Amino acid sequence: FLHLQKMCKHTGSSDEVLLEKKGGAGIITLNRPKALNALNLSMIQQIYPQIKAWEQDPETFLIIIKGTGGKAFCAGGDIRGNQAVQVTVKLCPTLTGFSFLVFSLQCTCKKPYVALIDGITMGGGVGLSVHGHFRVATEKTLFAMPETAIGLFPDVGGGYFLPRLSGKIGYYLALTGFRLKGRDVLKAGIATHFVESEKLPDLEKDLIALKSASKENIADLLNSYHVKSKIDQEKEFVLDEHMEKINSLFSANSMEEIVKKLKEDGSPFAIKQLETINKMSPTSLKMTLRQLREGASMSLQDVLTMEYRLSQACMRGHDFYEGVRAVLIDKDQSPRWKPAALEEVSDEFVDNCFKPLGNNDLEL
């Protein structure tokens, strides 16, 4: 952590994230609406010490995190923030290290942590919310872990929370980047509550006004809003009809086996998943499957250390740069992955991605 801190001079604009105290609540507002509140290094550098300070403050009972602009809670890490991908990536060990510190902080945070995930919540936005105590989705929430499409893996503690979702939903979301919307984010077990978007200002006022903000009091307040939210209440979970297939097809031990099972199944659903998986980085797919299988029985701290190692492997490799080029820079949506096929990604290569980094390992 210290070497990360030394590498980072505090840069960037202080209004990109607003940090304020209201009543008994510390409020973090991600404030880059034009960039869909994407996280950059400067924002993470401001959020980390503030959560630490509020945690120590006897007058702060809870922490609320939200985004501005009405479109997004947080669309992820700001990979596009620099003109050249190479510049971003030089920062990446630092950015990644700091991100992991923030993600781990939520879980160890003694103060109740409430994330209002209204709008787009992807990548880093998931990392900022999913490890906290309470996650409030709305009808505008759009959740996805799209990393395998850019040569990465779900790197925000995904190896911890995804395999812990019911059945094999987490594996399915991680490998295909499938998007969940609105109440489905709650039904998948990612959100803890569902509240209509227009009711969030009232909810926030009530949270701030709580005289003794214990987890129980906060849960009661969130539940009182949750039970009154009628939008899509009757709709069945979008993946309900496919759950049996997801649980059997995505329980295989290897990506090759998953692909084989999908081919053998041959249903329209299976064929659609095959088409999606064929577009993803083969290296990312193999890395991600193993990350989730191992993460299923690890502590969050150990998962974050594992993911830091994987992030460094991605920075050393080819596919992340190529994925960012194809999806975010040239936008031709035609990445040329190397290796181009699952069979060409050797077990030995994948093993190396998981190896400890000695003195450069992340210490949380």
Side-chain angles (χ1 to χ4, degrees), residues 131-145:
H131 306 300
H133 306 98
F134 303 105
R135 286 89 63 192
V136 181
T138 74
E139 72 280 7
K140 296 199 294 189
T141 304
L142 175 63
F143 166 96
M145 301 299 280

Side-chain angles (χ1 to χ4, degrees), residues 102-243:
V102 173
F103 304 150
S104 73
L105 197 54
Q106 291 165 64
C107 331
T108 55
C109 188
K110 292 167 191 71
K111 303 285 165 82
Y113 184 99
V114 182
L116 306 176
I117 54 171
D118 188 31
I120 298 165
T121 304
M122 296 184 185
V126 176
L128 277 182
S129 55
V130 79
H131 306 300
H133 306 98
F134 303 105
R135 286 89 63 192
V136 181
T138 74
E139 72 280 7
K140 296 199 294 189
T141 304
L142 175 63
F143 166 96
M145 301 299 280
E147 288 83 3
T148 55
I150 57 162
L152 271 179
F153 58 94
D155 62 337
V156 289
Y160 183 81
F161 83 89
L162 288 164
R164 284 167 173 79
L165 298 176
S166 70
K168 294 293 173 183
I169 289 182
Y171 291 79
Y172 172 68
L173 296 173
L175 296 169
T176 66
F178 183 81
R179 297 176 167 207
L180 291 169
K181 294 173 188 164
R183 207 177 270 272
D184 285 333
V185 179
L186 170 81
K187 289 179 176 165
I190 292 151
T192 56
H193 296 81
F194 180 88
V195 174
E196 273 120 356
S197 186
E198 61 177 38
K199 295 280 193 290
L200 289 183
D202 293 341
L203 172 61
E204 195 181 320
K205 276 194 200 106
D206 287 348
L207 283 166
I208 289 164
L210 280 174
K211 285 288 170 276
S212 98
S214 65
K215 271 190 205 157
E216 290 70 28
N217 289 353
I218 293 166
D220 289 345
L221 178 59
L222 291 173
N223 287 335
S224 72
Y225 273 83
H226 174 82
V227 295
K228 287 184 211 142
S229 297
K230 301 293 182 229
I231 294 178
D232 290 339
Q233 209 173 27
E234 304 307 313
K235 245 170 101 177
E236 74 166 29
F237 180 43
V238 66
L239 294 174
D240 249 2
E241 57 179 311
H242 304 303
M243 272 322 297

